Amino acid sequence: MPVQKDELGYLALVLHAHLPYVRHLEEDLLEERWLFEAMNESYIPLLQTFEQLSSEGVEFCLTFSLSPTLLSLLDDELILKRYAIHLDKLIELAGKETARTRRDSKMNRLAVMYFKKLLNIRSYMQVIDYKLIPQFKAFAKRGYLELITTAATHGYMPAMETEEAIRAQWEIGVQVFEQHFEGRPKGVWIPECGYTPGLDRILREYGIGYFFCDSHAISSGQNQPTLNYSPVTTRYGIKAFARDQEASSQVWSSKVGYPGDYDYREYYRDIGFDLPLSYIQPYIHPAGIRVHTGLKYYRVTGPTDQKQVYDIKTATNKAALHAGHFLDRCRHRIEEEANNHRENKPLIVAPFDAELFGHWWYEGPQFIDFICRKIHFDYLTIKLTTPSQYLDENSSHPTVELPLSSWGRNGYSEVWINEENAWVYRHLHKAEERMAELARKFHDPTFLEKRALNMAAKQLLLAQSSDWSFIMDNKTMTDYAIRRFKEHAGIFHQLYEKLMVGCLEVEWINSLEQNYPIFPTLSYQVYLPADEHRVAVTLEQDSPGKKRKILMLSWEYPPRVIGGLSRAVYDLSRALASQGEEVHVFTSHVEGYPTFEQIEGVYVHRISCYRDIDHEHFMDWVFQFNLALLDYYESLVKQGFQVDVVHAHDWLVSLAARRLKERYHLPLIATIHATEFGRNQGIFTDLQKRIHAEEGLLTREAGLVISCSHYMAKEISQLFELPREKVWVIPNGVDPEKVIQSPTWFDRSQYALPDEKIILFVGRLVPEKGAQLLIEAFPEVLAEHPETKLIIAGKGPMAETLQKMADALDLGQKVLFTGFIEDQTRNGLLQHATLAAYPSLYEPFGIVALEAMAAKTPVIVSDTGGLGEIVQHGVNGLSIYSGNVSSLRDQLIYALNHSEHLESMARKATEMIAIQYNWQDLASITKAAYSSLTLNLPFTKETI
Amino acid sequence: MVETKIKELREKKYTIEQIADELGMTTGQVRYRLYKKAVLKGSNEGENMLTISEVETEFKTNESITNSVNRDRLNPSGCNQAIFLNTSPPPPYYGENDLRIMVQGPTSIYVYWEITWPLMKIIAEYLYTPYEQLNKLLRIYDVTDILFNGVNAHWHRDILVQPTKDDQFIHELVPGRTYTIDFGIQYEGRMITFLRSKPKSTPLIADTYQYKELVQYLIDQEEGRIKPRGFENFSAYTIY
């Protein structure tokens, strides 16, 4: 061994061999020839070159990537059988050529050369049993090749949506590699150098130590000279080797690259195209389609049609020259770079498609041969290396953020995502999601289902081959690529449908397996999520006894409390849950509150919209909220979730409620807590018209409507022309627990003097609540009972007006506006109030009256709406004529004069609450309403 | 030379396996060298011109070998009629509302969508106008480093959608930014959104990279999924 100087740097040659999976049961398809050509012209000549070098004692090392699809093809008995036949025919043709060209010495020389070469290939193949893979393995064992692989079907990573799909490509790729070569690859070839941030994170899961990316991904700005000529570390700790721009273009560039040299063989002058059909017919495609045979007689010659005869000697010499030139450039650059202060020896990484050497560039293998020889025999300052070897000797490399990049035209994703091929992605993305869905759904499949699931995974992988979109981009065999893509995407979606519906046919699965024997050990479970975290609460149908599921739609729910709606839905849902029902409430998202939680047995889902309510046009927000409700339900349905009845509260959720009923055939119940008509005492504006219309749609679509009072039932059935029997009366209830507790911190003196009697009003300050009547009546009350104090608790648009009224009447300190009060404060006030007064003009129900009664506070109410039904005058409270100030004044004075009666009424009220307004009973009646719909009984309460 | 050595060992009556072991080669390689003798040498030198009979002899010799040995061995038992598969192409629509961005390059993205019939109907009902007559709008927001709530984007741009299209290339964007897109109706001077895409990030352009040396992350777990520590254009599949 000659004494070598210490090398100053390294050259890493990387060959990436890949073909899409071109196996078909039908014979004589064109695409199979791609493999045969690649074998005859690239893989075998390269192996023979390695063989030659090693037999002469030349030391060399290259990195060689074999894609999983290629490995599958090279290991396939059917393919190899056809290859053998193809080779025989080619030899036959070559033989004929030697005869045909015998009069032309130059041509004949070439013909003989091809003939011998092909015979040589055949004997080589016979000796190795037609199996190339063990040959690669042997060279790897002997240290000449570092073998790596790529993603399962060479999918283009930046175009993938899900982590699961990306992971599956790599897991299968690594698996296939392990099956052939024992042990995992130390590094990988990323398809098309298509890197997307986060890909390194996935690769790391498989112990991958390095990959290759395009040069511009680590383009060295002037500020980072240390990034030149060495790998970098990605943020997840993997090494990235960038393709050397100059070395690559010296070979690749169609304009100035070596392969275009005039002495080299011309690819496009092949006898398959040049010779008459009558002669060549048996050796091209049976349908008469002309193909490449690999027998070519001409050299590039120049930018002309008149090609001259190829001369192997000249070409070989050229290859030697080019190899020398290539190495000189590398050496020069390395020597220059080595002068800079560096921690590591500089490295030039030159990756190429393996098929370039021999197939596209006939003299390619020669070139490689010369490079290896020169480095070995001449005293060069550079040595060949592989990424693993380099990393063994050099370890610390700066960490950088690698961006999205590829080695395609313009450096990003233009080649694979453009007008010609972007259409494929909606199908691929949908397939990705569906595959993940299938993997999750079928955790215990039958044997046939498992076969279908595995086949679905294979079809997805095959559809993801970057080859299809690549071909569509360069328009070489577009029809073929389209056909292949549609075939695989189509089969996938068919399998999905059949699996979901449960109608798989054995014969079909059998034939699929025969047609696509790729990746036999693949398991569909590779598409399961990597961390098996389940959602906090399982929403699946395996609850014991198959509980009924109730879906409540209410736009407000605690902590969002605006009107009585929120409280009513909260109380009802809690009561139902305590009786063993499974209740899910879909409500609007509230900033700072969980999107999903369980509150006292009720599952609360808070769903967000594109914009929150404060930043959006009101009706648009309502519209978007309903769409969001629908989307959310649909996403739960995909997990196997299903409800038995939908209970909608008020018009705001009308759209979602009706649509759920229609789409999922669910019984629908609507509770109308208040109507727009009632709120405004008529319908006047456009907005009111819309709301009124929604109420109409909802109540008519609902199988049953619930109202809280007879008053409301009448109003609703008249307004929306519903048969009276369709409207049930189920009042709201009250939970005394929530009202009785007066907080310890409550300080009465903040509100009134010790001997002042409190008359309390709690409610929204809007006209229909009637606070203004109280203020009007108060002066006369005060005249007779100066010890009273009026407290108005609540907020609303009328606040200012009421204040002004009070001032105008000179009530001064005798009226207190507290503004909005918390429930606790309200409880405290109720406990200390002598009276609670609710002179509403419109009151569908009057929960405030119930609350006061539960707190044992005597009440005075209008005889309107629901209030009139709750309070029986003189029995459990006092009532006034609605809107009548004198009536109010009279009753107030009476109350203050008859404290005993007041007390007994309060007692009766409390008793009544317990009997008629307890949530447990009301929940039971509501359950009866649900059952009447789901059991299809005629809707009358009495029959239950 | 290796071949000389092989010849020597052969004369010593070594078996092929023994020779292979001795020389650190595979049996195949040994056989190849032995066998090569039978094949005319000098394949790259093109010296000899062959007579046709020589060619035919060679051809026949190998053909018989091929026929007798390899063809049988390589012929899998039974099967292999092309089996009619009865497949159909993927459906044109999936019946699911969808809106997705793909990054084409630093300044361009591709967006595709599907709007289902029921959604079109709902929208038409809400706006009292047939869906075809409404102006569809794509609004692209720059939401780099923000938790987007619908109104806090850095900036946005509107693109009117051609009625028959279900995809769009958008160019002249700023590199190195994160984008999300709303699909909706332009109505009475405002936009009503009914679909929103997941955000995607465009890369910076090569020469403008400013590299910071990042602190090396300590990956403590060796098994299983590593959670993402930054924005990625793909994500784990979730139902929601």
Side-chain angles (χ1 to χ4, degrees):
Chain A
M1 195 57 77
V3 174
Q4 292 234 313
K5 283 195 282 206
D6 254 342
E7 68 278 358
L8 290 177
Y10 300 99
L11 168 66
L13 280 177
V14 184
L15 299 181
H16 159 58
H18 165 67
L19 279 170
Y21 192 66
V22 289
R23 182 196 198 274
H24 302 283
L25 281 185
E26 307 100 302
E27 298 197 357
D28 281 318
L29 291 184
L30 284 174
E31 49 274 12
E32 243 169 28
R33 304 178 83 102
W34 297 344
L35 174 64
F36 303 156
E37 279 166 22
M39 287 167 76
N40 287 336
E41 295 164 19
S42 290
Y43 309 145
I44 295 170
L46 281 168
L47 283 170
Q48 289 180 324
T49 304
F50 301 151
E51 186 62 54
Q52 187 65 30
L53 288 169
S54 74
S55 71
E56 293 179 31
V58 176
E59 277 183 15
F60 67 95
C61 59
L62 310 174
T63 311
F64 210 104
S65 165
L66 294 156
S67 75
T69 45
L70 178 59
L71 287 168
S72 302
L73 292 168
L74 291 175
D75 203 32
D76 189 307
E77 293 282 325
L78 177 65
I79 295 282
L80 294 178
K81 174 190 160 209
R82 289 182 182 166
Y83 168 78
I85 297 171
H86 175 265
L87 183 57
D88 286 346
K89 291 214 92 155
L90 204 49
I91 288 173
E92 188 183 294
L93 173 62
K96 282 198 179 151
E97 280 294 288
T98 58
R100 184 184 71 82
T101 57
R102 62 180 175 276
R103 298 234 165 73
D104 181 333
S105 64
K106 278 195 194 158
M107 301 283 262
N108 187 261
R109 217 184 341 256
L110 285 172
V112 168
M113 176 188 86
Y114 287 130
F115 183 63
K116 289 188 198 170
K117 209 169 179 198
L118 286 168
L119 288 174
N120 185 289
I121 287 179
R122 185 164 65 185
S123 34
Y124 173 77
M125 288 301 262
Q126 284 166 347
V127 162
I128 65 171
D129 273 2
Y130 287 80
K131 292 195 190 303
L132 294 181
I133 297 174
Q135 299 306 307
F136 284 103
K137 188 169 175 183
F139 282 117
K141 267 215 167 76
R142 292 163 65 191
Y144 290 116
L145 293 182
E146 178 167 334
L147 291 180
I148 60 175
T149 189
T150 185
T153 56
H154 203 266
Y156 185 65
M157 303 288 141
M160 298 193 194
E161 278 291 292
T162 62
E163 195 177 292
E164 285 77 6
I166 293 179
R167 183 178 292 115
Q169 282 267 351
W170 290 106
E171 178 150 338
I172 305 295
V174 167
Q175 246 179 49
V176 172
F177 183 88
E178 276 179 305
Q179 283 161 8
H180 286 106
F181 300 114
E182 290 154 28
R184 290 183 168 181
K186 295 214 180 112
V188 293
W189 176 262
I190 296 183
E192 315 289 5
C193 292
Y195 178 80
T196 181
L199 183 55
D200 50 336
R201 177 170 68 82
I202 311 287
L203 291 175
R204 207 203 153 90
E205 290 174 22
Y206 296 98
I208 304 299
Y210 69 83
F211 61 85
F212 301 92
C213 60
D214 196 53
S215 27
H216 71 93
I218 315 182
S219 76
S220 41
Q222 292 82 349
N223 36 347
Q224 289 289 352
T226 52
L227 295 182
N228 295 345
Y229 297 102
S230 70
V232 294
T233 313
T234 66
R235 71 197 321 222
Y236 292 96
I238 309 214
K239 309 291 177 185
F241 288 86
R243 184 168 78 121
D244 184 87
Q245 188 65 48
E246 193 184 311
S248 299
S249 14
Q250 280 178 282
V251 177
W252 260 131
S253 166
S254 50
K255 295 186 183 68
V256 303
Y258 301 131
D261 188 277
Y262 297 161
D263 286 332
Y264 288 143
R265 197 180 75 165
E266 169 62 55
Y267 179 83
Y268 290 103
R269 290 299 300 274
D270 186 297
I271 63 168
F273 295 91
D274 290 350
L275 295 184
L277 206 54
S278 51
Y279 176 83
I280 203 73
Q281 169 87 47
Y283 306 100
I284 57 173
H285 190 272
I289 305 169
R290 288 177 176 275
V291 294
H292 285 275
T293 61
L295 304 178
K296 307 174 204 258
Y297 291 106
Y298 298 96
R299 61 187 184 94
V300 176
T301 315
T304 164
D305 272 343
Q306 308 303 319
K307 302 286 176 190
Q308 293 177 4
V309 178
Y310 178 67
D311 181 58
I312 184 76
K313 254 209 177 94
T314 325
T316 307
N317 290 339
K318 226 3 146 27
L321 204 66
H322 283 151
H325 177 261
F326 181 79
L327 285 174
D328 278 344
R329 267 310 287 161
C330 287
R331 206 161 44 90
H332 180 77
R333 294 165 62 203
I334 296 265
E335 281 167 10
E336 232 182 60
E337 179 63 26
N339 283 335
N340 301 332
H341 289 296
R342 292 180 60 95
E343 260 189 61
N344 307 312
K345 292 194 178 153
L347 165 71
I348 291 179
V349 178
F352 304 103
D353 282 350
E355 297 78 16
L356 170 67
F357 297 93
H359 175 65
W360 298 103
W361 179 18
Y362 186 66
E363 298 77 8
Q366 288 278 43
F367 175 82
I368 291 188
D369 178 277
F370 284 125
I371 288 194
C372 294
R373 282 175 200 278
K374 280 188 190 295
I375 289 183
H376 178 80
F377 288 116
D378 301 351
Y379 300 108
L380 292 184
T381 47
I382 61 174
K383 254 179 72 176
L384 286 172
T385 189
T386 66
S388 292
Q389 282 177 21
Y390 184 85
L391 290 172
D392 280 342
E393 289 162 28
N394 305 278
S395 49
S396 74
H397 304 104
T399 310
V400 297
E401 186 80 64
L402 269 193
L404 166 68
S405 53
S406 81
W407 74 352
R409 182 176 69 239
N410 290 331
Y412 301 98
S413 297
E414 198 184 295
V415 171
W416 300 275
I417 306 174
N418 59 51
E419 277 86 356
E420 303 298 329
N421 51 31
W423 62 271
V424 305
Y425 295 108
R426 69 176 68 221
H427 302 289
L428 283 177
H429 294 158
K430 191 61 77 179
E432 281 186 49
E433 292 188 340
R434 287 183 164 188
M435 191 65 231
E437 189 189 329
L438 287 174
R440 285 181 193 217
K441 185 178 155 123
F442 288 89
H443 37 81
D444 194 18
T446 65
F447 182 57
L448 186 62
E449 283 171 343
K450 194 154 145 190
R451 289 167 66 195
L453 289 161
N454 289 342
M455 179 52 64
K458 289 175 196 176
Q459 295 298 327
L460 169 58
L461 289 170
L462 288 168
Q464 285 180 317
S465 289
S466 69
D467 306 276
W468 316 136
S469 46
F470 181 83
I471 292 172
M472 289 178 215
D473 170 72
N474 70 27
K475 304 193 176 107
T476 45
M477 282 186 72
T478 315
D479 289 340
Y480 174 70
I482 293 177
R483 206 197 73 203
R484 284 295 301 266
F485 175 78
K486 284 189 175 175
E487 176 186 318
H488 297 301
I491 295 173
F492 174 85
H493 289 290
Q494 273 180 287
L495 280 165
Y496 171 83
E497 301 288 339
K498 289 186 194 283
L499 275 162
M500 294 304 266
V501 170
C503 67
L504 293 168
E505 296 133 8
V506 172
E507 301 80 35
W508 192 54
I509 304 291
N510 286 342
S511 67
L512 283 173
E513 285 172 353
Q514 282 195 302
N515 275 276
Y516 306 103
I518 193 174
F519 305 147
T521 58
L522 175 158
S523 161
Y524 73 95
Q525 292 183 318
V526 83
Y527 284 92
L528 280 171
D531 39 88
E532 284 276 39
H533 290 151
R534 295 316 220 112
V535 176
V537 175
T538 50
L539 301 168
E540 277 160 20
Q541 290 275 56
D542 50 13
S543 36
K546 208 162 177 276
K547 244 193 234 181
R548 169 169 63 188
K549 287 185 172 63
I550 299 162
L551 173 60
M552 287 217 184
L553 301 175
S554 171
W555 87 280
E556 39 162 333
Y557 196 83
R560 180 167 261 151
V561 177
I562 303 196
L565 172 61
S566 176
R567 231 182 289 260
V569 177
Y570 170 63
D571 286 334
L572 175 62
S573 56
R574 276 192 308 142
L576 285 167
S578 75
Q579 291 181 10
E581 300 283 341
E582 187 176 320
V583 183
H584 293 263
V585 175
F586 284 10
T587 184
S588 62
H589 176 69
V590 180
E591 188 68 39
Y593 283 83
T595 48
F596 180 77
E597 62 173 335
Q598 245 191 316
I599 303 180
E600 294 177 65
V602 177
Y603 298 102
V604 183
H605 308 246
R606 296 194 182 87
I607 294 143
S608 12
C609 284
Y610 298 125
R611 294 212 183 134
D612 66 57
I613 192 172
D614 303 317
H615 291 110
E616 183 66 293
H617 177 273
F618 179 62
M619 286 304 280
D620 287 351
W621 183 86
V622 172
F623 179 67
Q624 288 173 353
F625 176 57
N626 278 266
L627 289 183
L629 289 175
L630 287 170
D631 281 346
Y632 186 78
Y633 186 76
E634 195 172 309
S635 68
L636 291 187
V637 165
K638 280 194 178 157
Q639 274 192 308
F641 179 73
Q642 209 175 297
V643 301
D644 301 294
V645 62
V646 178
H647 187 166
H649 293 267
D650 270 358
W651 70 272
L652 272 130
V653 293
S654 158
L655 185 110
R658 290 181 288 117
R659 181 86 187 110
L660 285 174
K661 172 193 169 186
E662 186 191 324
R663 175 144 184 215
Y664 297 100
H665 309 290
L666 296 168
L668 172 61
I669 288 197
T671 296
I672 302 294
H673 297 264
T675 64
E676 192 64 7
F677 181 93
R679 262 192 287 271
N680 302 294
Q681 292 299 303
I683 299 295
F684 309 107
T685 67
D686 277 342
L687 179 61
Q688 290 167 2
K689 280 200 192 113
R690 288 205 76 137
I691 296 176
H692 181 75
E694 283 297 326
E695 287 168 351
L697 287 169
L698 178 61
T699 51
R700 279 189 278 275
E701 276 297 313
L704 199 153
V705 177
I706 296 175
S707 58
C708 49
S709 61
H710 292 279
Y711 172 81
M712 277 309 288
K714 188 154 160 232
E715 179 177 297
I716 292 168
S717 58
Q718 275 176 355
L719 269 179
F720 306 112
E721 292 165 12
L722 309 170
R724 186 63 183 78
E725 314 81 67
K726 186 171 165 179
V727 187
W728 285 29
V729 178
I730 305 180
N732 290 325
V734 67
D735 182 359
E737 297 291 308
K738 299 273 174 174
V739 193
I740 284 190
Q741 299 301 325
S742 171
T744 44
W745 46 259
F746 185 79
D747 182 11
R748 190 187 187 282
S749 61
Q750 288 212 336
Y751 298 93
L753 298 173
D755 55 342
E756 276 184 319
K757 289 189 179 161
I758 296 175
I759 298 176
L760 177 65
F761 168 93
V762 184
R764 273 183 304 134
L765 304 183
V766 287
E768 70 245 31
K769 295 295 182 187
Q772 66 278 16
L773 298 174
L774 264 177
I775 296 185
E776 266 195 69
F778 197 54
E780 289 179 70
V781 175
L782 207 52
E784 275 217 31
H785 288 271
E787 76 280 10
T788 51
K789 176 152 183 185
L790 179 60
I791 297 184
I792 309 236
K795 62 173 184 183
M798 278 195 80
E800 243 190 78
T801 319
L802 293 170
Q803 178 71 68
K804 283 199 183 117
M805 271 182 76
D807 294 339
L809 291 169
D810 233 352
L811 293 169
Q813 293 291 330
K814 286 301 188 167
V815 179
L816 175 63
F817 291 91
T818 66
F820 175 76
I821 53 169
E822 303 276 326
D823 284 358
Q824 300 277 30
T825 315
R826 175 207 61 195
N827 293 350
L829 282 171
L830 277 174
Q831 291 298 321
H832 293 274
T834 310
L835 270 178
Y838 301 112
S840 306
L841 301 169
Y842 173 72
E843 193 61 76
F845 183 67
I847 187 81
V848 283
L850 284 187
E851 284 164 355
M853 288 169 158
K856 302 194 172 93
T857 310
V859 296
I860 294 185
V861 303
S862 297
D863 66 353
T864 186
L867 285 173
E869 291 163 34
I870 295 173
V871 175
Q872 279 173 280
H873 181 68
V875 178
N876 52 21
L878 299 170
S879 57
I880 65 165
Y881 295 115
S882 175
N884 191 314
V885 178
S886 342
S887 178
L888 177 57
R889 178 202 60 212
D890 290 343
Q891 294 303 321
L892 282 168
I893 294 173
Y894 176 88
L896 293 163
N897 288 341
H898 297 87
S899 56
E900 264 185 41
H901 190 193
L902 219 51
E903 248 176 85
S904 76
M905 285 193 291
R907 263 200 309 279
K908 286 244 174 61
T910 316
E911 281 162 22
M912 177 199 72
I913 297 277
I915 299 168
Q916 291 190 297
Y917 296 97
N918 74 81
W919 273 112
Q920 292 301 318
D921 285 351
L922 296 170
S924 301
I925 303 176
T926 311
K927 275 159 62 173
Y930 297 150
S931 302
S932 82
L933 277 192
T934 53
L935 296 173
N936 275 322
L937 295 172
F939 32 58
T940 56
K941 211 158 67 172
E942 285 66 42
T943 57
I944 302 301
Chain B
M1 280 283 288
V2 175
E3 292 180 4
T4 331
K5 286 195 192 140
I6 294 180
K7 210 173 153 194
E8 276 174 28
L9 293 172
R10 200 68 170 141
E11 277 160 11
K12 288 184 194 169
K13 304 289 185 217
Y14 275 45
T15 65
I16 290 182
E17 284 81 17
Q18 287 169 331
I19 297 175
D21 275 347
E22 182 71 24
L23 298 177
M25 300 164 67
T26 68
T27 54
Q29 286 170 330
V30 173
R31 255 190 248 124
Y32 173 54
R33 274 164 184 71
L34 289 174
Y35 201 90
K36 208 165 84 169
K37 298 274 178 202
V39 177
L40 299 158
K41 56 180 181 195
S43 54
N44 276 345
E45 288 143 22
E47 303 169 326
N48 312 319
M49 282 166 63
L50 296 172
T51 62
I52 294 179
S53 57
E54 281 175 75
V55 169
E56 281 175 4
T57 318
E58 181 51 51
F59 189 77
K60 284 210 179 67
T61 319
N62 281 288
E63 193 181 71
S64 60
I65 291 175
T66 313
N67 278 339
S68 61
V69 180
N70 295 313
R71 279 229 169 98
D72 289 337
R73 235 174 6 86
L74 289 176
N75 192 5
S77 53
C79 87
N80 294 338
Q81 292 87 12
I83 292 169
F84 184 55
L85 269 181
N86 190 25
T87 65
S88 48
Y93 301 111
Y94 289 93
E96 287 169 21
N97 295 306
D98 204 1
L99 175 64
R100 248 183 249 268
I101 300 176
M102 293 181 80
V103 176
Q104 192 197 42
T107 59
S108 56
I109 61 177
Y110 170 70
V111 56
Y112 70 82
W113 57 86
E114 180 180 337
I115 316 289
T116 60
W117 290 115
L119 182 56
M120 288 190 214
K121 205 170 84 145
I122 289 176
I123 294 164
E125 278 170 13
Y126 174 58
L127 295 174
Y128 300 123
T129 314
Y131 185 77
E132 310 78 57
Q133 290 177 19
L134 294 166
N135 286 330
K136 289 95 184 164
L137 204 61
L138 281 174
R139 177 166 288 175
I140 172 163
Y141 300 91
D142 179 330
V143 295
T144 314
D145 296 329
I146 324 176
L147 221 49
F148 185 50
N149 65 6
V151 293
N152 59 348
H154 296 290
W155 50 265
H156 65 84
R157 192 204 300 176
D158 287 347
I159 297 168
L160 218 50
V161 175
Q162 303 298 322
T164 49
K165 282 184 79 109
D166 58 7
D167 64 6
Q168 178 88 31
F169 280 91
I170 301 176
H171 302 283
E172 283 139 28
L173 292 170
V174 180
R177 308 292 289 172
T178 308
Y179 296 99
T180 188
I181 293 187
D182 275 1
F183 191 100
I185 304 289
Q186 190 186 53
Y187 189 79
E188 288 177 2
R190 64 183 198 270
M191 179 179 181
I192 305 172
T193 299
F194 51 83
L195 272 188
R196 178 169 291 162
S197 76
K198 280 193 196 158
K200 289 286 166 83
S201 262
T202 54
L204 286 167
I205 297 180
D207 301 323
T208 62
Y209 290 150
Q210 301 287 322
Y211 278 108
K212 311 179 276 276
E213 298 234 350
L214 302 174
V215 174
Q216 186 105 31
Y217 284 96
L218 292 167
I219 313 284
D220 33 21
Q221 80 228 80
E222 286 306 318
E223 299 280 326
R225 177 178 190 256
I226 303 165
K227 289 194 166 55
R229 295 185 203 213
F231 186 86
E232 297 170 359
N233 275 347
F234 60 88
S235 51
Y237 171 69
T238 54
I239 307 285
Y240 303 99

